[in-house]
Amino acid sequence: MTERFVVIPVGQSDNENIEVDSNSVPDDDGEEGTGGDGDNQGVIPILEYSREPNKYGDGNPKESSPFINNTDNDKGTLYDGKNMALFEEEMDSNPMVSSLLSNLANYTNLTQGVREHEEADEEEGAKKKAVTSPQMGTFIGVYLPCLQNILGVILFLRMTWIVGTAGILETFIIVAMCCTCTMLTAISMSAIATNGVVPAGGSYYMISRSLGPEFGGAVGLCFYLGTTFAGAMYILGTIEILLTYIVPNAAIFKAEDKEHEAEALLNNMRVYGTCCLALMSIVVFVGVKYVNKLALVFLACVVLSILAIYAGVIKTIFEPPDFPICLLGNRSLQNHNFDKCLKTEEIDNVTVTTQLWGLFCDGPSLNASCNDYFRDNEVTQVQGIPGLLSGVISENMWSAYGPSGMLVEKINFPSRPATNTSQDVYMPYVVNDIATFFTLLVGIYFPSVTGIMAGSNRSGDLRDAQKSIPIGTILAIATTTFIYLSCVVLFGACIDGTVLRDKFGDSVKGNLVIGTLSWPSPWVIVIGSFFSCCGAGLQSLTGAPRLLQAIARDGIVPFLEVFGHGKANGEPTWALLLTAAICETGILIASLDAVAPILSMFFLMCYLFVNLACALQTLLRTPNWRPRFKFYHWALSFLGMSLCLALMFISSWYYALVAMMIAGCIYKYIEYRGAEKEWGDGIRGLSLNAARYALMRLEEAPPHTKNWRPQVMVLLNVDSEMSVKHPRLLSFTTQLKAGKGLTIVGNVLEGTYLTKETEAKRAETNIKSAMSAEKTKGFCHVVVSSNLRDGFSYLIQSAGLGGMKHNTVLMAWPGTWKQSNDPQSWRNFIETIRETTAAHQALLVAKNVDSFPTNQDRLGEGTIDVWWIVHDGGMLMLLPFLLRQHKVWRKCKMRIFTVAQMDDNSIQMKKDLQTFLYHLRLDAEVEVVEMHDSDISAFTYEKTLVMEQRSQMLKQMQLSRTEREREAQLIHDRNTASHAAMNDKADAAPERVHMTWTKEKFFTERNRHRVEPNANMGVRDLFNMKPEWESLNQSNVRRMHTAVKLNEVVVNKSQGAHLVLLNMPGPPRNRGGDENYMEFLEVLLEGLNRVLLVRGGGREVITIYS
């Protein structure tokens, strides 16, 4: 489609505007490819507006850039003046206000519907016509379409029967409830429709953008199903009018007796309905434009029919129509097979029997055996339409419900009761074809008030949609409400109750009951209702596929994407086929009364969510909620929503449950498999408000011990490619958490944010991908800091929000700390331990984490061993229980080991521990390990000596020569003291350092360095320290002794366990001994495969109380 834009060159006055065709696009050199000349060199390139529909959408500009699509040609040449030079850096991303307003002025929004398709059909590939602005006003664009859609088949075919069955009062209540429901929904819809532009898709677009893709898809598909079943209902109405009132002889299946008439009628409806559906589908497929052009004809039929009814009512005041009905006693008779309402008549002074006699007696003779009721009661003829002033309104005021097969009888009319009713089913009485009750009639009537969305569906064709939609829709509902309510009263005041309850007009010679009231002829209503039903069916088959196409193109339901495709001109071919198939299921039901409640459910669910959307947006007060329609309130929306829900269950509770289940399944499917969409919907706003409220409540007090669960902060490392180093940490988190509670995955990059922004985002993306692969539900937090130490500190202090903060830190053991050239790796590890302790947070350190099971593994029979050395608040008890909830660890048994000292009673300890576990409701085996005091072995001394010497040597290697000499003297002085305390830092040992040191090796090395004066100064100074076993730090010796002995016991008992949980000893208070601490832990864990070191957060996390 071509458009013309007005382009104002820089430096020219406003009256020197140059018109440029939008097809004239500047080429790569900045010159126009076609139609340009040298005079246009100074022209600012216009911002092109792309009208290509999005891959998944409804042909509208992307919401991230709602008005303007910049082309590559525009960049770099947006501004070349001096007045706004201060903002020239902003021009690449932010357009000037003048450019924005210019594009807004040229912005039009046509529906992706019939209009474009018609043009495509007519042009056959030729140059398209210029798009004109929408010109429809309120009356033509909203009021009349709504009127046509609301007034329809139920009014003409079932309204009189509902009035007769429910009575005037109850029918008035039914109509008032349904019309109130639609009026409240229209108010909510008007608020949503005037809160910005509503493109093609109408009600679906409103709901999906207000409530999110999950609700939008679910309700959109419900609305689609409702529209499709409405098509089936209109087709069934068309066939019912055709076979019952226009050409009854066209029936293929004919009943031989009365009891099979209903079944024959249903079979005829199925055959003719299927043929009608096929014909209508072909019409919609071949020429939608004809359906659009015939809409006015169909609307004229509806209006003329309504006028004929009112004219007939007025005429009954002066001259009631002559439609007599025949009563036997008080029973109404089917007036088909007899011409006179007489038992006998006199012809030439001879009494002869009539055709009516033959229907109730064995033969025509006066002595024939007749039905008892026929013999005992007289035949009476009364007027079926006594007129407005007849006073029949008092008889029709009350209901006359009954079971299927109940005879239609005139109230307060004399009759003698029958002694034998077994033969009544074979007699020509008018009977109820279905059981009737109040809730059934609500479900049957409600489709007659649907169709209020017709105006919003055409929003793109309206001159001023935000003004026309509220006025037109509310006026249409007010008009139809008046028509329905007046018809209820007028039908009850003009027509006899027996005729009203006669659904198919059998008592008035097969005439349409509402037609008997019309003027000038019943055929006005019959023909008018026939064409009205035809038109409504065609429009349903036109609208439903487009609604499905809009849903499919949004891409929120993956399996529907095929229905987004169609013919070259955009006609939804596949969607039409699916619509016809679903419509056929409704036709196979064959009963108008059975189909009506089905589509009532789907429409009510759609209206319910329109009200919910308006109420949510109003209560949340989202900044974008600024509807031009001001006459709405959240209370009205909630009332409408409640009324919709009530009507659903009043109509049919089982249909309501089925409809909700269908919507729920679609919702969960979209949530699980659907595309991620961010539409700024109300549900997201509700989630934010609920989260804020919950966070404020959490802030009030810390969680009780019974509610405590690990809220984990996982400290991950990434490599140079920003890929996750230890993804098994995420697997272990998933197994520990099972999707419950808070999980924050943190990472620190060294540098500044300005230089590391790209790497940080890439790392975040990679971590989120790893979290998704490992099914870890949580949040990712990447921090850029000048050094890793501070970054980890920031995460531990500030991650989380309010009361929703982590209470546990999970990290991997630095397995390469000995080989690391950077001593900060293990220093950061130890400082993290100290900070978690200071923050009263628990710490979990996984050693050999890469050997931990994945989420797909299923560990067989085995054990999770807990070594409970010191009490840590119960973390060691709680963690195995949580792990065993996951299917990976489910088959593992829990064993608890505790250590008894020399003075402890190990038997009593075991009993006490078993009792404690019983009260904790934990199933575990208990074992008490006795560790007797023993002498410190030579191996322990040797380990301590190696540790201290390595520590001193590495310190020396990092000092300058002067500092090295001073440090060597200081160390020598300390070694000569008898009770010196020495706590040193450990780092990775070079390969050349021996792991075993003896006195012989020591003296050999010292002599060798004395001979070689040029040897490494650090090593020479180190061997001036003269270390001896007696001068070793006794605190270090004792700690090493504990680590060695405990390691022997743990390896002996738990080497084959699937996981070992062990109390983590705290780091020394004096930072001078940090490297020794790492050695102690290394010795403690030696020989074990999967180990989880646990350090409590300083509070109880498990309790024996309920």
Side-chain angles (χ1 to χ4, degrees), residues 416-427:
R416 295 180 181 177
T419 55
N420 181 15
T421 59
S422 60
Q423 296 300 311
D424 288 350
V425 67
Y426 303 107
M427 299 295 114

PDB file of all heavy atoms in Angstrom, residues 416-427:
ATOM      1  N   ARG A 416     -62.387 -33.527  33.083  1.00  0.00           N
ATOM      2  CA  ARG A 416     -62.491 -34.699  33.938  1.00  0.00           C
ATOM      3  C   ARG A 416     -61.189 -35.491  33.810  1.00  0.00           C
ATOM      4  O   ARG A 416     -60.751 -35.775  32.705  1.00  0.00           O
ATOM      5  CB  ARG A 416     -63.667 -35.565  33.521  1.00  0.00           C
ATOM      6  CG  ARG A 416     -65.018 -34.886  33.723  1.00  0.00           C
ATOM      7  CD  ARG A 416     -66.134 -35.808  33.294  1.00  0.00           C
ATOM      8  NE  ARG A 416     -67.444 -35.149  33.457  1.00  0.00           N
ATOM      9  CZ  ARG A 416     -68.586 -35.700  33.098  1.00  0.00           C
ATOM     10  NH1 ARG A 416     -68.586 -36.927  32.557  1.00  0.00           N
ATOM     11  NH2 ARG A 416     -69.730 -35.059  33.273  1.00  0.00           N
ATOM     12  N   PRO A 417     -60.575 -35.877  34.939  1.00  0.00           N
ATOM     13  CA  PRO A 417     -59.294 -36.589  34.847  1.00  0.00           C
ATOM     14  C   PRO A 417     -59.442 -37.947  34.181  1.00  0.00           C
ATOM     15  O   PRO A 417     -60.485 -38.607  34.277  1.00  0.00           O
ATOM     16  CB  PRO A 417     -58.866 -36.719  36.313  1.00  0.00           C
ATOM     17  CG  PRO A 417     -60.126 -36.602  37.098  1.00  0.00           C
ATOM     18  CD  PRO A 417     -61.030 -35.679  36.332  1.00  0.00           C
ATOM     19  N   ALA A 418     -58.396 -38.375  33.498  1.00  0.00           N
ATOM     20  CA  ALA A 418     -58.402 -39.654  32.800  1.00  0.00           C
ATOM     21  C   ALA A 418     -58.159 -40.788  33.778  1.00  0.00           C
ATOM     22  O   ALA A 418     -57.373 -40.665  34.719  1.00  0.00           O
ATOM     23  CB  ALA A 418     -57.334 -39.658  31.713  1.00  0.00           C
ATOM     24  N   THR A 419     -58.855 -41.905  33.546  1.00  0.00           N
ATOM     25  CA  THR A 419     -58.636 -43.080  34.396  1.00  0.00           C
ATOM     26  C   THR A 419     -57.440 -43.879  33.918  1.00  0.00           C
ATOM     27  O   THR A 419     -56.762 -44.530  34.701  1.00  0.00           O
ATOM     28  CB  THR A 419     -59.888 -43.977  34.383  1.00  0.00           C
ATOM     29  OG1 THR A 419     -60.213 -44.295  33.026  1.00  0.00           O
ATOM     30  CG2 THR A 419     -61.078 -43.241  35.019  1.00  0.00           C
ATOM     31  N   ASN A 420     -57.165 -43.832  32.619  1.00  0.00           N
ATOM     32  CA  ASN A 420     -56.051 -44.597  32.042  1.00  0.00           C
ATOM     33  C   ASN A 420     -55.226 -43.655  31.160  1.00  0.00           C
ATOM     34  O   ASN A 420     -55.711 -43.155  30.153  1.00  0.00           O
ATOM     35  CB  ASN A 420     -56.584 -45.782  31.222  1.00  0.00           C
ATOM     36  CG  ASN A 420     -55.444 -46.617  30.637  1.00  0.00           C
ATOM     37  OD1 ASN A 420     -54.301 -46.489  31.042  1.00  0.00           O
ATOM     38  ND2 ASN A 420     -55.786 -47.472  29.677  1.00  0.00           N
ATOM     39  N   THR A 421     -53.977 -43.405  31.582  1.00  0.00           N
ATOM     40  CA  THR A 421     -53.131 -42.467  30.827  1.00  0.00           C
ATOM     41  C   THR A 421     -52.064 -43.172  29.997  1.00  0.00           C
ATOM     42  O   THR A 421     -51.206 -42.513  29.417  1.00  0.00           O
ATOM     43  CB  THR A 421     -52.439 -41.497  31.806  1.00  0.00           C
ATOM     44  OG1 THR A 421     -51.648 -42.256  32.736  1.00  0.00           O
ATOM     45  CG2 THR A 421     -53.473 -40.674  32.575  1.00  0.00           C
ATOM     46  N   SER A 422     -52.112 -44.487  29.944  1.00  0.00           N
ATOM     47  CA  SER A 422     -51.042 -45.229  29.254  1.00  0.00           C
ATOM     48  C   SER A 422     -51.035 -44.969  27.753  1.00  0.00           C
ATOM     49  O   SER A 422     -50.001 -45.091  27.098  1.00  0.00           O
ATOM     50  CB  SER A 422     -51.182 -46.726  29.522  1.00  0.00           C
ATOM     51  OG  SER A 422     -52.438 -47.191  29.058  1.00  0.00           O
ATOM     52  N   GLN A 423     -52.204 -44.620  27.187  1.00  0.00           N
ATOM     53  CA  GLN A 423     -52.280 -44.422  25.735  1.00  0.00           C
ATOM     54  C   GLN A 423     -52.071 -42.967  25.325  1.00  0.00           C
ATOM     55  O   GLN A 423     -52.121 -42.653  24.137  1.00  0.00           O
ATOM     56  CB  GLN A 423     -53.672 -44.892  25.243  1.00  0.00           C
ATOM     57  CG  GLN A 423     -53.935 -46.378  25.442  1.00  0.00           C
ATOM     58  CD  GLN A 423     -52.924 -47.234  24.694  1.00  0.00           C
ATOM     59  OE1 GLN A 423     -52.675 -47.010  23.504  1.00  0.00           O
ATOM     60  NE2 GLN A 423     -52.340 -48.216  25.376  1.00  0.00           N
ATOM     61  N   ASP A 424     -51.864 -42.081  26.315  1.00  0.00           N
ATOM     62  CA  ASP A 424     -51.750 -40.655  25.988  1.00  0.00           C
ATOM     63  C   ASP A 424     -50.595 -40.362  25.046  1.00  0.00           C
ATOM     64  O   ASP A 424     -50.645 -39.426  24.253  1.00  0.00           O
ATOM     65  CB  ASP A 424     -51.574 -39.842  27.273  1.00  0.00           C
ATOM     66  CG  ASP A 424     -52.868 -39.781  28.091  1.00  0.00           C
ATOM     67  OD1 ASP A 424     -53.909 -40.197  27.549  1.00  0.00           O
ATOM     68  OD2 ASP A 424     -52.812 -39.327  29.250  1.00  0.00           O
ATOM     69  N   VAL A 425     -49.526 -41.164  25.137  1.00  0.00           N
ATOM     70  CA  VAL A 425     -48.343 -40.902  24.319  1.00  0.00           C
ATOM     71  C   VAL A 425     -48.626 -41.079  22.831  1.00  0.00           C
ATOM     72  O   VAL A 425     -47.944 -40.497  21.983  1.00  0.00           O
ATOM     73  CB  VAL A 425     -47.180 -41.818  24.769  1.00  0.00           C
ATOM     74  CG1 VAL A 425     -47.473 -43.270  24.460  1.00  0.00           C
ATOM     75  CG2 VAL A 425     -45.869 -41.381  24.138  1.00  0.00           C
ATOM     76  N   TYR A 426     -49.653 -41.900  22.513  1.00  0.00           N
ATOM     77  CA  TYR A 426     -49.976 -42.137  21.101  1.00  0.00           C
ATOM     78  C   TYR A 426     -51.036 -41.168  20.578  1.00  0.00           C
ATOM     79  O   TYR A 426     -51.364 -41.200  19.398  1.00  0.00           O
ATOM     80  CB  TYR A 426     -50.470 -43.573  20.919  1.00  0.00           C
ATOM     81  CG  TYR A 426     -49.473 -44.608  21.403  1.00  0.00           C
ATOM     82  CD1 TYR A 426     -49.699 -45.313  22.585  1.00  0.00           C
ATOM     83  CD2 TYR A 426     -48.316 -44.856  20.682  1.00  0.00           C
ATOM     84  CE1 TYR A 426     -48.773 -46.248  23.041  1.00  0.00           C
ATOM     85  CE2 TYR A 426     -47.389 -45.796  21.131  1.00  0.00           C
ATOM     86  CZ  TYR A 426     -47.617 -46.478  22.312  1.00  0.00           C
ATOM     87  OH  TYR A 426     -46.713 -47.392  22.748  1.00  0.00           O
ATOM     88  N   MET A 427     -51.607 -40.355  21.453  1.00  0.00           N
ATOM     89  CA  MET A 427     -52.669 -39.435  21.066  1.00  0.00           C
ATOM     90  C   MET A 427     -52.061 -38.112  20.576  1.00  0.00           C
ATOM     91  O   MET A 427     -50.952 -37.755  20.956  1.00  0.00           O
ATOM     92  CB  MET A 427     -53.595 -39.174  22.263  1.00  0.00           C
ATOM     93  CG  MET A 427     -54.295 -40.416  22.811  1.00  0.00           C
ATOM     94  SD  MET A 427     -55.449 -41.117  21.615  1.00  0.00           S
ATOM     95  CE  MET A 427     -54.675 -42.686  21.266  1.00  0.00           C
TER      96      MET A 427
END
